[in-house]
Amino acid sequence: MNKPLKQHLIDPEICIRCYTCEMTCPVEAITHDDNNVVVDAEKCDFCMDCIPVCPTGSIDEWRVVETPYSLDEQFEWDELPAQEEIGEASGVEALDDAMAALLAEAHAGAGGKSKAPASAAKPSVNLYNLGKPATARVTGNYRLTSEESGSDVRHIILDFGAQPFPVLEGQSIGIIPPGTDADGKPHLPRLYSVSSPRDGERPNYNNLSLTVKREEKGLCSNYVCDLKIGDEIKVTGPFGATFLMPEDPAARLLMVCTGTGSAPFRAFTMRRQRSKAGGAGDMTMFFGARTPDSLPYFGPLGKVPEQLLKKHLVFSRQPGQQKEYVQHRMMNEEEALADLLADPKTHIYICGLRGMEQGVEEAFRSISESTGQSWDATRDAMRDEGRYHVETY
Ligand code: A2P
């Protein structure tokens, strides 16, 4: 009989198919087909390099098995199998200790497994994949930032016609750039966060919007930013089952973002605006950009009433003003944030530049400590309860 071993797996329901793990794995143990991203038990040496880079925590799944699941089995999964009863678990405990130490190291910092809010609606995931993408028609492409700002951020509207494409606020979709890479293989899809609410960019239309920044030499961002009305594009997804908003109208939302990281928060805000729930919990946003004319949706955001959304728009390169980052403003709002951190109805969302994560955590740590609380304990409890969400890139 085989000795039980711990197998590294990826949760296909939560994975957003960004393929970062596959690109990170030094021993090429991670691979994908049209459907799933999977781990080869024969190659995985538990180096844990893939753990901190995963934006969703879907990479962090382990099963004790006597015979490892094959790649073919994993390619077929829509969901992870439950842990099977293993008769003889000898040796597994020792393995667990070593693994726990490795995992603790990989999880240092904010990374880690995230959970959907308890009251979130159930998202549809992976309806369209590489082998069977949806076709969307471009019905809008507007520049959101000024020419002078030097930053080209676009509001892109995609219509899915008669194809079902249900998305919830906070989910992402993949766009497949046309053509092939240097090896002649089709390009992998690039992920974009949806910036419209579930009932469509236009209410009750089968459309959605994206907020896309043109990156110098960015293969897909240039393709998307240059799309013309009427163009057809190939789309995968929807993806994402954790960075979702609570349905509970009394939930309080604290949203921290930079640049295009604001996309899901536009969706959250529009959802709350359109559902007009009575007795709604408040929403607070800290949004960092270089200047007002490079802050996506600066104009429309200004029209959202402060009772619905408390806005802290923070600028780092405004002439004549001191450089300010979101975490600096958070420190100035210590009292309001301490109140939010202490409230079990509060949900925290962080989205944007990876570099911001550390500064934002430090601000939370300092605010927690000022009220005698441990930030690590607060954050871990919030994450366990599906109230702490980070998506940085
Ligand atoms: P900076 O002026 O220092 O680049 P971008 O325009 O590149 O998408 O960035 C959005 C905003 O995030 C900018 O104001 C940028 O400031 C800011 N930013 C850059 N690094 C960090 C960081 N480590 N923490 C918080 N904000 C940051």
Side-chain angles (χ1 to χ4, degrees):
M1 195 171 102
N2 286 331
K3 259 196 162 171
L5 68 98
K6 200 150 197 174
Q7 183 175 8
H8 184 196
L9 298 167
I10 297 174
D11 186 334
E13 282 188 289
I14 295 180
C15 168
I16 56 173
R17 278 85 177 162
C18 65
Y19 309 104
T20 312
C21 55
E22 184 174 333
M23 291 179 253
T24 305
C25 178
V27 295
E28 296 185 359
I30 302 182
T31 174
H32 70 270
D33 73 347
D34 285 350
N35 200 34
N36 286 340
V37 187
V38 299
V39 187
D40 188 337
E42 281 183 23
K43 292 188 184 161
C44 175
D45 62 2
F46 304 104
C47 73
M48 306 289 172
D49 283 7
C50 57
I51 304 293
V53 297
C54 172
T56 63
S58 57
I59 192 81
D60 204 357
E61 290 292 342
W62 312 87
R63 294 286 182 277
V64 180
V65 291
E66 272 164 359
T67 310
Y69 294 105
S70 70
L71 293 181
D72 284 340
E73 281 174 287
Q74 296 177 54
F75 284 140
E76 292 301 312
W77 287 344
D78 290 325
E79 57 185 61
L80 273 186
Q83 172 63 59
E84 280 179 15
E85 292 282 328
I86 299 285
E88 268 186 60
S90 60
V92 170
E93 291 81 1
L95 193 63
D96 266 354
D97 288 346
M99 294 257 311
L102 281 170
L103 271 171
E105 207 175 302
H107 283 164
K113 238 170 159 173
S114 59
K115 256 189 181 169
S119 67
K122 177 114 179 94
S124 301
V125 291
N126 211 18
L127 296 179
Y128 298 91
N129 60 29
L130 288 169
K132 188 183 72 84
T135 302
R137 199 165 51 83
V138 178
T139 56
N141 178 348
Y142 311 102
R143 186 167 175 153
L144 296 166
T145 49
S146 76
E147 294 267 352
E148 300 73 48
S149 73
S151 160
D152 186 358
V153 180
R154 303 275 170 157
H155 184 65
I156 307 285
I157 305 174
L158 302 178
D159 192 289
F160 288 87
Q163 300 151 103
F165 205 96
V167 288
L168 290 178
E169 304 78 17
Q171 284 195 290
S172 305
I173 65 166
I175 293 186
I176 308 177
T180 51
D181 64 16
D183 299 328
K185 288 201 211 126
H187 292 296
L188 286 177
R190 306 303 199 267
L191 274 186
Y192 297 97
S193 195
V194 173
S195 55
S196 51
R198 65 188 74 182
D199 58 337
E201 170 67 6
R202 181 167 171 180
N204 306 318
Y205 274 60
N206 191 19
N207 65 5
L208 56 78
S209 70
L210 305 174
T211 312
V212 181
K213 182 178 181 184
R214 189 189 294 278
E215 300 290 348
E216 219 186 305
K217 302 207 181 110
L219 172 88
C220 197
S221 72
N222 277 287
Y223 165 65
V224 173
C225 289
D226 289 336
L227 285 168
K228 305 275 177 294
I229 309 283
D231 284 351
E232 289 197 336
I233 66 168
K234 300 282 177 220
V235 177
T236 60
F239 299 119
T242 59
F243 198 99
L244 301 172
M245 66 186 295
E247 291 288 283
D248 175 6
R252 304 175 74 189
L253 310 187
L254 172 57
M255 305 174 280
V256 184
C257 61
T258 57
T260 53
S262 58
F265 304 146
R266 176 181 186 265
F268 287 10
T269 306
M270 288 174 79
R271 170 71 183 160
R272 280 254 169 121
Q273 265 179 315
R274 285 188 192 168
S275 49
K276 294 199 182 75
D282 54 10
M283 296 194 287
T284 305
M285 171 188 252
F286 290 83
F287 187 168
R290 296 175 190 193
T291 54
D293 64 352
S294 70
L295 185 139
Y297 310 109
F298 183 76
L301 256 179
K303 297 200 184 104
V304 180
E306 283 284 312
Q307 306 102 280
L308 185 77
L309 177 69
K310 290 191 197 79
K311 285 156 277 174
H312 296 278
L313 307 183
V314 175
F315 303 111
S316 59
R317 302 192 198 180
Q318 185 70 318
Q321 273 184 24
Q322 208 179 346
K323 188 177 184 88
E324 192 179 16
Y325 280 171
V326 280
Q327 56 267 39
H328 303 143
R329 182 67 66 90
M330 287 169 66
M331 292 299 299
N332 291 342
E333 294 292 319
E334 188 175 302
E335 210 176 305
L337 289 179
D339 167 59
L340 277 165
L341 286 181
D343 189 340
K345 290 253 176 236
T346 298
H347 292 245
I348 296 177
Y349 298 86
I350 301 167
C351 189
L353 295 175
R354 176 147 287 180
M356 152 185 78
E357 203 174 316
Q358 196 189 353
V360 168
E361 280 240 15
E362 276 162 17
F364 279 133
R365 185 177 308 281
S366 152
I367 293 164
S368 299
E369 283 169 4
S370 73
T371 58
Q373 302 297 315
S374 148
W375 165 243
D376 289 337
T378 304
R379 181 199 59 208
D380 292 349
M382 289 186 79
R383 193 188 277 137
D384 271 357
E385 292 161 16
R387 298 192 294 117
Y388 187 75
H389 308 271
V390 181
E391 211 164 86
T392 54
Y393 36 82

